[in-house]
Amino acid sequence: MSARGQGRGGPQQGANPGRGRGGDSRGAGDRGRGGPQQGFNPGRGGPQQGANPGRGRGGDSRGAGDRGRGGGYRGSGGGGRGRGSDGGDRGFYRDDFAVAKGVIFSPDNETLEAPDEAVTTKENALIRPREEISLSGLSLDDYTLPSRPSYGKQGRPIVLRTNYFKMTANPKAVIYRYNITISPQIKNPSGGVNRRKTRRLVELLIANNPPLQSAGVATDYGTMFITAAKLQLGGKSMNLEQKFFEAEDAGPRDTAINYKVKFEEDASMPVGDLLEYISSPPGTTPSGFDKGRIIQALNIIMTRTANERPAIYGGGNSNKFYTYPPSSDRWFDLGSGLIALKGFYTSVRTSTLRVLVNINVANAAYYPPMSLLGLMRTHTPQKANDARSGLEAFITKLKVSHQYLKKKRVKTVQGFSHPSPQSGHTYPPLGNARNLTFECPELQATGKISVMDYFKRKYQIVLKYPDEPCINLGTKQNPVFVPPELLEVEPGQPYGKKLSEDQTARMITFAVRKPAENARRIIGQGADMMGLSESNQNLVAFGVKVAPKMITVNARVLPAGMVQYKSKQNRPTPYPTARGNWDIRDKAFSDARQLRNWTFIKFVDNDINRADVDEFRKIARNCGINSDNPEPPNGVTTPIRPGKDFQDPNDKVIQNTLGVASQKGLKVLLVILPDNNAFIYSRVKFWAETRYGIQTICCVGLKFREKGPQYWANIAHKFNLKLGGLNQLLPADKLGYLKDGKTMLVGIDVTHPSPGSLKGSPSIAGVVASINGQYGQWPASMQAQKSREEMVQKLEEMFGERLELWQRHNKGGLPERIIIYRDGVSEGQYRKLLELELPQVRNACKKRYPGGRGPKISIVVCGKRHHTRFYPTRLEDADERGQQNPHNGTVVDRGVTMEKGWDFFLQAHYCLQGTAKPTHYVVVLDENSMDADGLESLTHNLCYMFGRATKAVSLCPPAYYADLLCERGRAYLYKDFNARENATVSSDQEFDWDRAEWIKGVHPSIKDSMFYI
């Protein structure tokens, strides 16, 4: 061991791996030093298992079914940081905001203001008849979105508050942008920019340059500065120098790198141009105006206050900010070593005649700042036989600190010990302080010394837990092993991977709050965190002021939908709905199919028997489904053992069982599972749908037995759709543009690999489409494509398949109109959608429509990943069941919608729990000359057509079905999308397209069905 290595840290092989950044542990309570903590209330009294907050669910019910859609809360939050002392929770985690049942949000001492009449007048004035807008000669650079043809008038008018705050700006002000380049670039050992150290360098630069400290200067701490006045650069650029040192150091070392930071004048942005833009007609833009750049600058300005406050995490180039509770006994335990934090999201948006600041509550999973050993013992591996791999993946890349060198040092966890023959090391896997040895001439002239003896002799530290695996804080080539009891997890580190199903349930419990409670948090702590006050000198310097109260908007509640079933007299009959719900008692499916060549399979050894299945058959018969006896009569019982190891023989059991069913000619299977095990479910779907062509409906055994008729009716809905039947339909007077049956509705979505997937795992694109004028069957096409590519690459092929199926169901005819509901496209991708996806749709049509004629196409983008929320202002405009959300059918197309475009927010569903999130619909193409009322009412009515639910859903069914389809593709590639759960998969292993189990489509015998439902 070199002298240099001995002087800087723990037992090290080779060069010093470098210095880390410190910072005190904030809001962590009295944790002690590395004891065997089991929960999140360390104290000093002994191990604790942490709270079990129970389970919950929120949002709308998108139809009951046999199982949930798995885990998948993927965490969020910006890069971890934390400066200063514990600033307290400022009320974030108190119960002050809880509201009683039947209470709507009404701020104290605030008079409700009517929606801004000047905005309404301007909105009306900007409506231009279609004949005035010529599309000829316009390129995508000139014109990307259709103008709004009208504002909706249908429905009962109401007034809502919304979580937007009005920003006023000095029209004569100019905002200046300066790009910064840091040389040499600060990189992580594994490559890529080290954001934490880059931020620290920028903070040092600001501290040493008074002009950068003044009001009227803001930064993203990485790439740019925004100023209210020109910087004196002495030209177009200027170079500054800054030596790097960590916060816990008094100053830079003699050997510290002297970084060069180049400031380059990039743009001057008159605020008046933005104000002119948001008040001008569609198709008009000030010369040289770039809306995106000035909005980016305003966002950086708005986040300066939160970025500079101590004990607030996130920020930087992020727009989400979080804070810890004041003590660890108030942490919300998500289980398996994670806690949930509350915070706020902020974004500057524009609408007609005004600039707005959107603030919303945010929730994220974070690592708790505690002893690393305590964290390791709290973490529960996903698989019992894979404790090492699961735990190592959980803690790798964590920032941890130690103080045994008298000064605090922050390092990055690289994992446990591994044999490394290429570097000459032969460390045991999962080595501990007893069996990890190394040469250390300073302490032992000959032979090797153990880590345990090294710390005892070098630092007089007697380890309490020497048998725990040591942590590598160096590199694979030059490891530095430190016992975990000497390490503390640094605060402010978000967990960016996919949560387990149980953690997701707990996160929902944590996040779900009534709208009034969330609104109170926003106008209280949210507004305070973002500095929405007249005393904010930074905003004053930029000529900006933000009103500290929410704006109000005009809204309407559309008439409740109707659904059509067959009556007892076997006649098509429309039925009313209440609060977006209805039941199926005394009703039969519109087209009920017969259940033949089927049986039930139990992958669990329980007492569910033929009598239970016959009870289900009775309910299905009430819905109109007649079924043959299952064959064999008593089903098939093939128990599988617990666990979800990828090498688990369960996979072979599933394959063989379904293979035998296929050989016997069975076409439909009711599959009874032991629990919600995502691996087992995924493998059932993979083998049944891609290899054997069998329709399967999966359910959990306990639910099948206990939940009874309503649960069985939900299963019947799925059976009928998979068999090609029709459940509920829309009455003819609710079809609107669809009434003549010559319009094909299409849903398109793309899903991407989640954290923990194999490197290069593909994205999955899916297309669903109606097959006739009944709009009750939605067969589909799907394919894997290049990783994280949002635009559908093989859309022409998949769209062509949908057109050909329409032809087969319509005597060779093709649709005259096509309306596409495209899910998941962000605002910045609208142009890309028109450039890359629309031509493929046109090409697919061109090849099939005779004489070069084609259909008229409209494309509506559906967005759920937004932060717009609405709050009733009168109790009679709120739902009646205690949540106090707006009524289902609430539509908003004014006040917070686009200044140059056609969009609207629609809350079609009744929100069972928490604050309702409306869907944002944006029209990016309209060749069908629709109007606002027509599109809004059509979209609302379609939300009653989701075939497996007896309630209106929050997302228009074509897009919802496409979303489910893509999730099915994820199930087929479960092993690749959850590779980090597999101990046999190395971290550098990549997805192999040539050896992948699935790339596209399903078995030919079910390809024209709704197999994915």
Side-chain angles (χ1 to χ4, degrees):
M1 180 173 181
S2 69
R4 182 183 179 190
Q6 296 171 34
R8 291 298 305 158
Q12 174 175 332
Q13 301 296 323
N16 186 328
R19 292 162 59 90
R21 167 180 171 274
D24 58 355
S25 178
R26 306 166 188 86
D30 182 10
R31 297 194 304 272
R33 293 289 304 169
Q37 178 184 323
Q38 298 298 320
F40 293 139
N41 185 8
R44 294 189 180 273
Q48 174 178 325
Q49 297 301 325
N52 181 5
R55 301 173 63 91
R57 63 192 177 94
D60 69 293
S61 173
R62 293 186 173 182
D66 54 309
R67 64 186 301 276
R69 291 177 58 192
Y73 189 100
R74 292 182 172 83
S76 58
R81 70 174 184 93
R83 302 179 304 286
S85 61
D86 181 9
D89 68 340
R90 296 181 178 271
F92 289 115
Y93 295 86
R94 299 198 307 263
D95 293 328
D96 300 6
F97 304 99
V99 294
K101 183 176 181 179
V103 175
I104 62 171
F105 170 57
S106 181
D108 298 334
N109 303 317
E110 180 181 304
T111 302
L112 179 66
E113 293 185 359
D116 193 326
E117 187 60 36
V119 172
T120 303
T121 300
K122 189 65 174 180
E123 287 172 335
N124 292 335
L126 293 179
I127 293 296
R128 296 173 63 184
R130 290 179 182 274
E131 55 269 20
E132 292 184 14
I133 303 175
S134 173
L135 300 183
S136 61
L138 288 177
S139 69
L140 287 173
D141 291 332
D142 301 318
Y143 189 83
T144 58
L145 297 177
S147 63
R148 190 184 302 273
S150 58
Y151 285 98
K153 297 179 180 178
Q154 290 184 4
R156 177 172 59 87
I158 60 173
V159 172
L160 302 174
R161 283 188 174 91
T162 184
N163 57 335
Y164 285 81
F165 300 80
K166 182 180 178 180
M167 172 187 285
T168 56
N170 181 356
K172 296 181 179 180
V174 178
I175 297 174
Y176 300 91
R177 167 174 163 155
Y178 297 87
N179 293 333
I180 60 171
T181 306
I182 299 173
S183 178
Q185 193 177 43
I186 306 176
K187 291 188 175 182
N188 292 309
S190 57
V193 175
N194 186 318
R195 292 183 179 179
R196 185 193 68 81
K197 287 191 173 183
T198 298
R199 180 186 184 105
R200 171 64 183 164
L201 184 75
V202 174
E203 289 172 346
L204 290 169
L205 191 73
I206 294 172
N208 292 325
N209 291 273
L212 299 181
Q213 301 168 18
S214 64
V217 178
T219 179
D220 69 347
Y221 297 93
T223 64
M224 73 182 76
F225 273 79
I226 304 298
T227 67
K230 274 194 171 186
L231 295 178
Q232 301 304 310
L233 302 182
K236 293 290 185 182
S237 65
M238 176 180 66
N239 289 314
L240 298 178
E241 295 185 354
Q242 178 62 55
K243 287 189 175 183
F244 182 88
F245 61 95
E246 295 288 3
E248 66 273 12
D249 294 329
R253 298 182 186 179
D254 294 338
T255 57
I257 297 176
N258 193 25
Y259 290 94
K260 291 180 172 59
V261 182
K262 184 178 183 180
F263 278 70
E264 293 182 283
E265 185 177 319
D266 178 67
S268 58
M269 299 171 281
V271 174
D273 285 356
L274 175 63
L275 301 180
E276 179 185 345
Y277 175 81
I278 60 177
S279 62
S280 61
T284 59
T285 302
S287 176
F289 176 71
D290 188 331
K291 176 186 171 183
R293 289 167 74 84
I294 193 168
I295 293 299
Q296 182 185 40
L298 289 171
N299 273 310
I300 292 172
I301 293 167
M302 284 302 307
T303 56
R304 171 174 166 170
T305 299
N307 268 310
E308 292 184 341
R309 285 189 172 177
I312 293 177
Y313 300 92
N317 62 354
S318 167
N319 55 357
K320 293 180 181 178
F321 300 87
Y322 299 90
T323 181
Y324 284 92
S327 61
S328 58
D329 62 347
R330 299 177 75 174
W331 290 349
F332 188 94
D333 183 7
L334 291 177
S336 300
L338 296 176
I339 61 175
L341 296 189
K342 288 188 178 297
F344 294 96
Y345 160 95
T346 181
S347 178
V348 177
R349 313 285 298 177
T350 58
S351 187
T352 301
L353 209 59
R354 57 188 173 185
V355 183
L356 302 169
V357 179
N358 179 209
I359 300 178
N360 193 29
V361 293
N363 304 279
Y366 268 68
Y367 289 93
M370 62 187 297
S371 157
L372 179 60
L373 179 57
L375 179 68
M376 291 166 58
R377 292 184 172 184
T378 303
H379 175 69
T380 304
Q382 295 294 314
K383 302 183 289 295
N385 63 345
D386 188 20
R388 175 175 173 273
S389 175
L391 179 58
E392 185 171 34
F394 180 70
I395 65 173
T396 295
K397 303 303 180 184
L398 265 182
K399 302 294 181 185
V400 295
S401 63
H402 62 73
Q403 294 183 346
Y404 56 82
L405 289 175
K406 308 303 181 185
K407 267 191 176 181
K408 181 176 179 179
R409 291 288 178 262
V410 177
K411 303 291 183 182
T412 301
V413 173
Q414 301 299 331
F416 299 131
S417 65
H418 293 272
S420 183
Q422 64 271 25
S423 62
H425 302 313
T426 56
Y427 303 118
L430 209 63
N432 58 45
R434 294 183 192 274
N435 61 22
L436 278 172
T437 61
F438 58 95
E439 295 178 355
C440 182
E442 177 199 9
L443 300 177
Q444 189 161 319
T446 60
K448 296 183 176 182
I449 187 173
S450 70
V451 172
M452 181 175 68
D453 289 339
Y454 172 84
F455 276 93
K456 181 177 181 180
R457 294 169 61 180
K458 177 75 175 179
Y459 302 108
Q460 291 74 53
I461 296 175
V462 178
L463 298 178
K464 296 180 180 179
Y465 308 99
D467 295 320
E468 296 291 344
C470 284
I471 306 300
N472 179 12
L473 298 183
T475 64
K476 290 182 180 180
Q477 292 70 30
N478 295 294
V480 178
F481 295 115
V482 178
E485 65 185 86
L486 303 180
L487 301 173
E488 296 282 319
V489 178
E490 283 292 281
Q493 300 187 71
Y495 181 76
K497 300 177 184 177
K498 181 179 178 181
L499 297 185
S500 68
E501 290 184 4
D502 185 61
Q503 287 172 329
T504 299
R506 294 186 183 197
M507 177 60 83
I508 291 172
T509 299
F510 175 75
V512 166
R513 294 290 182 270
K514 293 180 180 179
E517 181 179 343
N518 278 340
R520 289 187 183 277
R521 289 182 185 275
I522 290 168
I523 66 167
Q525 277 62 50
D528 175 67
M529 181 184 280
M530 300 306 161
L532 303 192
S533 71
E534 294 184 357
S535 62
N536 188 325
Q537 293 305 305
N538 181 58
L539 297 184
V540 171
F542 281 101
V544 167
K545 184 167 67 173
V546 182
K549 61 181 179 181
M550 294 183 180
I551 67 170
T552 58
V553 294
N554 290 305
R556 291 166 288 115
V557 180
L558 299 178
M562 300 281 288
V563 290
Q564 180 175 297
Y565 287 92
K566 282 188 175 178
S567 65
K568 284 185 175 181
Q569 291 74 34
N570 203 33
R571 290 196 298 267
T573 305
Y575 293 91
T577 63
R579 296 184 296 274
N581 290 266
W582 63 94
D583 64 59
I584 199 172
R585 287 176 295 181
D586 301 322
K587 306 177 186 68
F589 294 144
S590 297
D591 178 9
R593 297 302 172 94
Q594 307 308 302
L595 186 54
R596 298 190 173 92
N597 298 321
W598 78 288
T599 196
F600 60 99
I601 292 178
K602 296 195 301 176
F603 283 122
V604 56
D605 189 11
N606 60 21
D607 57 355
I608 292 177
N609 54 36
R610 171 63 185 274
D612 297 308
V613 174
D614 283 345
E615 288 300 313
F616 154 70
R617 293 172 66 200
K618 289 179 183 177
I619 298 299
R621 189 179 307 119
N622 291 341
C623 297
I625 298 177
N626 292 315
S627 60
D628 295 341
N629 288 325
E631 184 58 43
N634 294 314
V636 176
T637 300
T638 310
I640 53 180
R641 65 180 179 83
K644 51 182 177 181
D645 189 341
F646 293 106
Q647 305 302 321
D648 197 317
N650 285 341
D651 195 19
K652 199 68 177 176
V653 171
I654 295 169
Q655 179 187 3
N656 292 339
T657 302
L658 296 179
V660 171
S662 176
Q663 292 172 4
K664 292 185 175 182
L666 296 175
K667 301 299 182 184
V668 184
L669 298 175
L670 174 63
V671 180
I672 301 172
L673 302 176
D675 53 31
N676 273 331
N677 186 307
F679 173 71
I680 298 300
Y681 174 86
S682 297
R683 299 311 288 171
V684 168
K685 295 300 181 181
F686 169 78
W687 291 113
E689 294 171 358
T690 70
R691 297 297 188 267
Y692 299 124
I694 300 175
Q695 300 279 17
T696 58
I697 291 86
C698 294
C699 61
V700 175
L702 187 62
K703 292 182 179 179
F704 187 85
R705 165 62 66 83
E706 293 183 353
K707 293 210 169 183
Q710 182 59 52
Y711 188 75
W712 296 333
N714 295 334
I715 295 175
H717 278 77
K718 291 187 177 183
F719 266 117
N720 200 47
L721 291 176
K722 287 174 182 281
L723 294 171
L726 303 172
N727 295 345
Q728 72 267 31
L729 298 176
L730 283 180
D733 63 343
K734 296 290 184 179
L735 286 171
Y737 298 122
L738 313 180
K739 193 170 184 179
D740 64 0
K742 297 179 180 180
T743 302
M744 184 169 79
L745 295 181
V746 179
I748 301 176
D749 192 20
V750 177
T751 189
H752 305 291
S754 54
S757 300
L758 210 59
K759 283 185 178 179
S761 290
S763 295
I764 297 168
V767 181
V768 305
S770 58
I771 59 173
N772 55 31
Q774 294 177 304
Y775 305 101
Q777 272 290 309
W778 304 80
S781 303
M782 66 172 165
Q783 293 191 23
Q785 64 180 34
K786 182 181 177 181
S787 184
R788 304 202 172 278
E789 175 57 55
E790 177 59 41
M791 297 300 110
V792 182
Q793 296 178 322
K794 297 293 183 67
L795 181 57
E796 182 177 338
E797 175 185 338
M798 293 190 285
F799 206 91
E801 292 170 352
R802 298 303 96 216
L803 287 171
E804 290 169 4
L805 188 60
W806 175 282
Q807 281 184 297
R808 293 202 296 272
H809 284 269
N810 291 273
K811 300 178 181 179
L814 287 162
E816 295 181 2
R817 297 173 296 275
I818 294 175
I819 301 176
I820 298 171
Y821 286 90
R822 177 63 161 93
D823 193 19
V825 175
S826 65
E827 188 174 345
Q829 295 173 315
Y830 295 161
R831 178 177 299 178
K832 199 173 181 182
L833 185 152
L834 297 176
E835 291 173 339
L836 299 180
E837 290 191 355
L838 179 58
Q840 294 189 69
V841 172
R842 294 202 191 282
N843 287 341
C845 294
K846 186 177 180 180
K847 292 177 179 178
R848 291 164 178 84
Y849 280 74
R853 68 174 184 84
K856 293 181 178 180
I857 300 171
S858 297
I859 302 176
V860 183
V861 170
C862 317
K864 290 290 286 184
R865 294 182 181 179
H866 62 81
H867 292 267
T868 300
R869 303 294 184 270
F870 298 107
Y871 310 97
T873 57
R874 302 189 308 166
L875 192 58
E876 53 265 42
D877 295 330
D879 62 52
E880 310 91 74
R881 294 188 181 180
Q883 297 302 304
Q884 280 71 57
N885 283 293
H887 288 293
N888 81 291
T890 295
V891 62
V892 177
D893 61 3
R894 291 179 176 271
V896 291
T897 49
M898 302 167 67
E899 68 276 0
K900 296 181 191 294
W902 180 9
D903 64 327
F904 59 93
F905 293 91
L906 172 64
Q907 181 204 317
H909 66 294
Y910 173 81
C911 185
L912 294 174
Q913 193 172 4
T915 303
K917 179 192 290 189
T919 298
H920 186 208
Y921 295 93
V922 181
V923 181
V924 298
L925 178 71
D926 180 31
E927 298 176 346
N928 287 295
S929 298
M930 297 185 289
D931 61 16
D933 278 328
L935 180 59
E936 291 167 5
S937 62
L938 171 64
T939 303
H940 178 229
N941 289 329
L942 285 173
C943 288
Y944 289 75
M945 284 284 287
F946 186 65
R948 74 179 195 191
T950 55
K951 58 192 67 190
V953 292
S954 64
L955 179 63
C956 194
Y960 196 161
Y961 287 137
D963 178 78
L964 291 180
L965 175 68
C966 291
E967 287 299 315
R968 184 54 52 83
R970 293 176 67 92
Y972 297 160
L973 292 176
Y974 184 92
K975 294 181 180 181
D976 302 289
F977 277 52
N978 297 272
R980 296 299 169 256
E981 296 179 8
N982 186 355
T984 66
V985 175
S986 65
S987 60
D988 57 353
Q989 186 172 332
E990 296 191 10
F991 182 81
D992 188 337
W993 285 84
D994 294 327
R995 301 181 64 182
E997 283 191 311
W998 176 85
I999 294 297
K1000 62 180 289 187
V1002 291
H1003 193 278
S1005 66
I1006 63 170
K1007 70 180 182 65
D1008 293 333
S1009 71
M1010 293 180 70
F1011 61 88
Y1012 57 87
I1013 196 70

